[in-house]
Amino acid sequence: MPGEPVLISLFVLFALSFLSDKLLSRYLYMTAGLKPADAQMYLWTRTEDHHMHRNRDRHEQLWAWMEQRSGYAKEFYTMSRYCSLTNLPVKLYFVGVMVIFATRLYQYTWALGAAMLVLWAMFTLLGFRYGKYIQAETADFFDSSRYKPYRPKRENEEEENPEDPYEDIPYAGPFEAAEPEVAQRRRFRRGYTQKLFVVAVVLVFLVLPMLSSKFLPTTSTPEATTAPTSEAPAPEVSDPPSVLSDFQAMYQRLDKEGFPPVNAVGQLSETYPGITLSDALLVDYEGMHMEYMVLTQESQAQSLAQGLQQQLYELVAAQNPQVTEESGEGYTLYALETQGNYGAVVQDGTKIFYAYCPDYDTTWLKWFLYDLGYLSTF
Amino acid sequence: MDITLFVINTVICAIFWLLSRLCCAWIGHLCEASAGQTIRDVEQHASQFPQEKLFPWLMRISPRPRLTALFHYLFRGLTSLPLLGMIVGITLPFVPAWEVYARYLINAMFVLYMVLFVLGLVLFDPLHYRWTGKYR
């Protein structure tokens, strides 16, 4: 993964965004009838906000304060848009990098960074152009008596009317104030656009993994990633799922459930001499023991199932086990449950499923048998 | 009797209970907005009449009382779901097999609250603006 180009590009774009934000915010203050020193003073006085229900982010407060001071003027929103646009490339780059990582198109990392750099330069230039217009338009305002430097309220002044948390901030901007309805519409448009952007990013992050897993070719099969440590190779699962054999389906099923099986024809043939196995799976994982065998003859399967039932019973006979016996179309189930263990033997034609586990896996094993259609309830 | 499942389930549901209030707050505010009141109006009313219950007042002044009631009960219902999960959790030490259903319930709640959060981002502002004529 190309971590280096991504980090370098992100750092450069972050630094440039910070720089342009600092430079352009000067013009934004002008649209609200403020100088940078006034804004700094306001931020300084907002270090402790007494109104808990208000947004406690000082810069959010500054923005809302300027918005009201400007009288919701069109120029304020336009300048604010340019300030936001200069930050957009770094955000887009971040989303783009996620797309690149999901689609594994790493060769475009630098190209995307360069494109975002060009975009940043364009937005910054446009912002400066509009900023110069603002500067020219507000030159008279700052020389006139209409401009009043910001003076923070003293403690005793604030206590005069402590019950009103919403003090009305007077309009003090150099541009014409908007009508109340127009002001609300402008506020709505800006706020809603920001929210939609957040939603779009969230959806991109949600949808991308789904799309990448659906449309991109995988480099490894599930069997390869969860390969058992045993020397015995995993069975080849090359057929499409619709024509999978019972054995292959069982292999995938156990693997998916977090119990990677091993192909154990040789091992189980030695354990049960005298029977002929065509396929066999074995799971021995943290107390969970499962054997799945496909025999060549049903008569052999019947005698093996009886032997396993006997073996299972002898294991827990001293613990007063609870016996469950069920049968259906071509299969029989024999299960034993004690205070600390659960075990089951299923014979379905030429197939045998034999499992036992400690109490913490009992519910899962019962559910598994239920899901296979061998246990009526669990 | 194993109470581990019960404890885990209760802790998860308690977290979801907090999460639900965060993710469904917009439904509560829509209840106020459907009555034509912004958060600021409601706070002002509450400070003027601290004894008065909010919901009856909203129903009295609302031009669309059915919608106001719908949002109110929707908010109540959705924020009560984790409590239902806790009740299911009480049964787990007695019926361990229900653990599977409890797990489904928790997963479903998580997806539901995430969807509601995103839905709130998309729906709240336009509806609030439409009913109150104001932006928040």
Side-chain angles (χ1 to χ4, degrees):
Chain A
M1 284 203 304
E4 205 173 302
V6 169
L7 287 177
I8 292 171
S9 304
L10 269 177
F11 177 76
V12 169
L13 284 169
F14 261 122
L16 290 173
S17 293
F18 182 76
L19 186 72
S20 56
D21 201 49
K22 281 279 163 201
L23 294 172
L24 291 180
S25 58
R26 193 160 63 102
Y27 301 115
L28 186 67
Y29 300 150
M30 286 178 188
T31 58
L34 292 166
K35 288 183 176 176
D38 300 324
Q40 288 302 320
M41 177 66 83
Y42 179 83
L43 286 174
W44 179 251
T45 58
R46 289 287 114 177
T47 46
E48 280 187 26
D49 188 1
H50 302 297
H51 305 311
M52 293 295 283
H53 58 279
R54 281 196 177 178
N55 192 328
R56 299 177 83 184
D57 186 309
R58 291 189 307 141
H59 287 87
E60 282 272 324
Q61 283 185 25
L62 172 67
W63 201 92
W65 180 61
M66 289 196 301
E67 191 183 29
Q68 282 181 276
R69 271 185 67 102
S70 74
Y72 305 100
K74 187 181 154 196
E75 287 78 3
F76 173 80
Y77 285 100
T78 310
M79 195 62 229
S80 163
R81 208 170 295 140
Y82 281 117
C83 287
S84 305
L85 281 176
T86 54
N87 292 325
L88 188 66
V90 69
K91 293 172 187 167
L92 284 180
Y93 184 74
F94 192 71
V95 176
V97 163
M98 291 298 132
V99 176
I100 282 173
F101 277 17
T103 53
R104 299 190 207 103
L105 299 169
Y106 303 124
Q107 65 271 29
Y108 297 113
T109 313
W110 280 118
L112 184 69
M116 290 302 116
L117 203 67
V118 172
L119 206 61
W120 170 83
M122 276 170 55
F123 289 148
T124 306
L125 277 175
L126 287 171
F128 265 111
R129 201 176 137 203
Y130 194 73
K132 289 292 170 193
Y133 160 75
I134 297 285
Q135 196 174 23
E137 290 288 311
T138 55
D140 294 342
F141 173 84
F142 286 101
D143 293 334
S144 71
S145 59
R146 283 175 65 201
Y147 167 67
K148 291 182 181 62
Y150 173 64
R151 185 180 65 87
K153 279 184 179 177
R154 286 195 295 272
E155 283 288 315
N156 55 357
E157 281 177 335
E158 245 182 333
E159 282 168 10
E160 279 173 11
N161 192 10
E163 289 196 359
D164 180 16
Y166 298 103
E167 54 192 303
D168 283 324
I169 297 161
Y171 156 65
F175 296 102
E176 195 185 342
E179 294 292 319
E181 281 183 14
V182 177
Q184 292 300 332
R185 197 160 57 238
R186 282 176 183 162
R187 293 184 67 210
F188 167 73
R189 276 183 193 161
R190 185 184 181 275
Y192 194 49
T193 311
Q194 282 183 338
K195 275 191 177 179
L196 284 183
F197 182 76
V198 172
V199 172
V201 171
V202 168
L203 289 179
V204 163
F205 276 75
L206 283 176
V207 172
L208 261 182
M210 282 188 259
L211 288 180
S212 62
S213 63
K214 197 168 183 180
F215 295 111
L216 286 176
T218 51
T219 51
S220 59
T221 60
E223 288 70 34
T225 52
T226 55
T229 49
S230 163
E231 286 176 8
E236 286 182 18
V237 184
S238 53
D239 299 335
S242 55
V243 292
L244 280 180
S245 69
D246 287 345
F247 172 73
Q248 289 165 334
M250 178 61 91
Y251 180 90
Q252 291 190 341
R253 191 78 193 275
L254 289 169
D255 196 33
K256 196 180 159 191
E257 293 293 335
F259 294 106
V262 293
N263 197 342
V265 176
Q267 191 179 338
L268 291 178
S269 295
E270 286 174 19
T271 310
Y272 308 112
I275 60 163
T276 315
L277 292 172
S278 61
D279 283 308
L281 293 174
L282 178 65
V283 172
D284 228 337
Y285 183 75
E286 293 183 356
M288 170 66 82
H289 181 94
M290 284 187 277
E291 294 173 12
Y292 180 75
M293 294 168 275
V294 182
L295 285 76
T296 51
Q297 295 170 35
E298 195 167 336
S299 57
Q300 280 191 351
Q302 277 175 352
S303 59
L304 179 60
Q306 283 168 4
L308 287 171
Q309 286 173 13
Q310 187 64 28
Q311 182 181 316
L312 195 63
Y313 184 78
E314 283 168 7
L315 274 174
V316 294
Q319 299 171 32
N320 189 23
Q322 184 189 334
V323 182
T324 308
E325 284 185 276
E326 289 186 20
S327 58
E329 282 179 35
Y331 77 87
T332 55
L333 174 133
Y334 175 84
L336 293 178
E337 186 170 10
T338 65
Q339 282 293 330
N341 295 290
Y342 183 78
V345 180
V346 178
Q347 188 230 327
D348 184 358
T350 56
K351 293 169 283 183
I352 300 269
F353 181 74
Y354 171 52
Y356 56 84
C357 65
D359 57 348
Y360 52 81
D361 274 331
T362 299
T363 308
W364 180 86
L365 186 55
K366 282 182 178 176
W367 168 81
F368 190 64
L369 289 167
Y370 168 79
D371 210 40
L372 289 172
Y374 294 135
L375 197 61
S376 57
T377 182
F378 72 98
Chain B
M1 191 165 62
D2 185 13
I3 63 161
T4 319
L5 290 175
F6 163 68
V7 173
I8 292 171
N9 192 74
T10 308
V11 170
I12 292 172
C13 285
I15 294 167
F16 274 154
W17 185 70
L18 295 173
L19 188 74
S20 71
R21 304 193 80 79
L22 175 81
C23 296
C24 303
W26 65 276
I27 298 174
H29 291 314
L30 273 190
C31 170
E32 296 157 3
S34 65
Q37 305 296 306
T38 62
I39 301 170
R40 179 178 175 163
D41 299 332
V42 172
E43 279 191 22
Q44 276 177 343
H45 177 82
S47 62
Q48 280 171 9
F49 306 98
Q51 300 298 322
E52 189 175 2
K53 296 241 180 192
L54 192 65
F55 180 57
W57 171 66
L58 287 173
M59 286 296 283
R60 199 169 62 243
I61 61 163
S62 176
R64 24 187 116 68
R66 281 184 188 175
L67 216 53
T68 304
L70 173 75
F71 282 123
H72 175 77
Y73 290 116
L74 200 62
F75 177 75
R76 283 282 178 88
L78 288 169
T79 50
S80 303
L81 263 184
L83 302 178
L84 179 75
M86 282 187 194
I87 293 167
V88 173
I90 294 168
T91 63
L92 289 183
F94 307 101
V95 196
W98 286 7
E99 187 204 349
V100 181
Y101 301 120
R103 219 180 296 161
Y104 283 146
L105 187 69
I106 285 168
N107 290 344
M109 270 198 287
F110 181 74
V111 173
L112 176 73
Y113 290 134
M114 289 301 106
V115 169
L116 280 172
F117 183 74
V118 176
L119 215 58
L121 289 177
V122 177
L123 289 181
F124 178 71
D125 278 358
L127 290 175
H128 186 276
Y129 182 67
R130 187 187 167 92
W131 289 330
T132 62
K134 290 173 185 170
Y135 178 67
R136 293 187 207 158

